[in-house]
Amino acid sequence: MCGIAALQLRNPSLHPRMGSLLSSMLCQIVDRGPDSAGLAVYNTPGLVSEGTSTLSLLGRDQGITTAAITAGVAALLPSDAQAAVQVVGDTTLVSAAVGTDLLVKAVSETLPGSTIIGRGEHVAVMKSVGHPMEIAADHGLEAMAGSQGLSHTRMATESAVTAGGSHPFSVADDLCLVHNGSFSNHATVRRDLRREGVVFDSDNDTEVGARYVASRLKQGDTLEEALVNLGKVLDGFYTLVVTTADSMAVVRDPIACKPAIIAETDDYVAMASEYRALAGLPGIDNARIFEPEPGKVYTWSL
């Protein structure tokens, strides 16, 4: 059992409230996953900026100072890249005005033992072990602005309780995936992806789903097509939420074993594992509220 809360804000006037709204949603699902949690926030001032790539690194302690990381990364980038490093909660963010691939190369050479948990121009990913609300508070979620937010509370079943095994899994630019459930054939799909050259960071089954979606998008699928294809390849019981820089998607397995509830208004789309996470949202009394149908992919764009 895990908990999911996701929010896409269609009305820009709500962007300053993104963090407080997502925090209130997260508060209602903590008992579904008390051992660890993760967050992904989009277009949050102070964390990401347009024209700049940002990498989220697992952990606040990378073994050297932030000044040393900045100097090491800057030495490997063009002189005008404006490399910067900041620690937010249990996450280290590295930014520079270069493409993500070049920044990944520079960070990997500077910090060969680091784990990249998020990448892109629009998203910052943060995750850790512990009580979900303490993790949210440690990262300052409530005060964050943004266009979208995604959160997950984890109750580990098939792999160890580690920060690296927490969701979301962000394995391509601005792409994040969270998962309530399990994939029964993830080992087989993992082997297939490895034969294609895909590299994994954990033994978590959810990472397999994220890597598969990223692979399909790279091959030209739309987000909806990628999730339809996932349903043909990965077996199990699941509810998935996938976000990109400007979209959000929800899909349940063909039996709809895992819970999901969606609220949609002109101002926002919100999804959660339980209705109580939606009950405090503005305008919820007039929202269209529904459970997603089994096996159907739902997508929304900003």
Side-chain angles (χ1 to χ4, degrees), residues 62-75 83-87 92 110-111:
Q62 299 296 324
I64 59 175
T65 67
T66 56
I69 298 171
T70 304
V73 170
V85 179
Q86 64 173 314
V87 175
T92 302
T110 304
L111 298 168

Side-chain angles (χ1 to χ4, degrees), residues 236-257:
F237 302 125
Y238 55 84
T239 292
L240 302 177
V241 180
V242 182
T243 50
T244 70
D246 59 1
S247 62
M248 181 172 81
V250 175
V251 66
R252 302 167 82 186
D253 66 75
I255 303 176
C257 182

Side-chain angles (χ1 to χ4, degrees), residues 81-94:
Q82 301 176 335
V85 179
Q86 64 173 314
V87 175
V88 180
D90 198 26
T91 304
T92 302
L93 300 178
V94 183

Side-chain angles (χ1 to χ4, degrees), residues 198-283:
V198 175
V199 177
F200 287 81
D201 295 321
S202 76
D203 60 357
N204 191 286
D205 63 333
T206 303
E207 185 182 0
V208 177
R211 298 281 181 188
Y212 179 82
V213 170
S215 175
R216 294 302 313 183
L217 292 174
K218 188 176 181 179
Q219 294 176 55
D221 279 8
T222 65
L223 182 56
E224 181 176 358
E225 290 168 342
L227 290 172
V228 168
N229 283 317
L230 179 146
K232 298 175 181 177
V233 172
L234 280 155
D235 297 326
F237 302 125
Y238 55 84
T239 292
L240 302 177
V241 180
V242 182
T243 50
T244 70
D246 59 1
S247 62
M248 181 172 81
V250 175
V251 66
R252 302 167 82 186
D253 66 75
I255 303 176
C257 182
K258 296 298 181 179
I261 187 82
I262 294 171
E264 185 173 9
T265 74
D266 290 341
D267 291 333
Y268 61 80
V269 178
M271 177 274 172
S273 297
E274 299 184 29
Y275 173 76
R276 59 179 174 166
L278 306 176
L281 293 174

Side-chain angles (χ1 to χ4, degrees), residues 13 32 75 79 92 103 150 153 177 190 193 200 224 237 250 255 269 277-278 280 282 290:
S13 70
R32 297 187 62 87
S79 58
T92 302
L103 184 57
L150 179 62
T153 64
L177 181 147
R190 183 191 300 267
L193 290 171
F200 287 81
E224 181 176 358
F237 302 125
V250 175
I255 303 176
V269 178
L278 306 176
F290 63 97

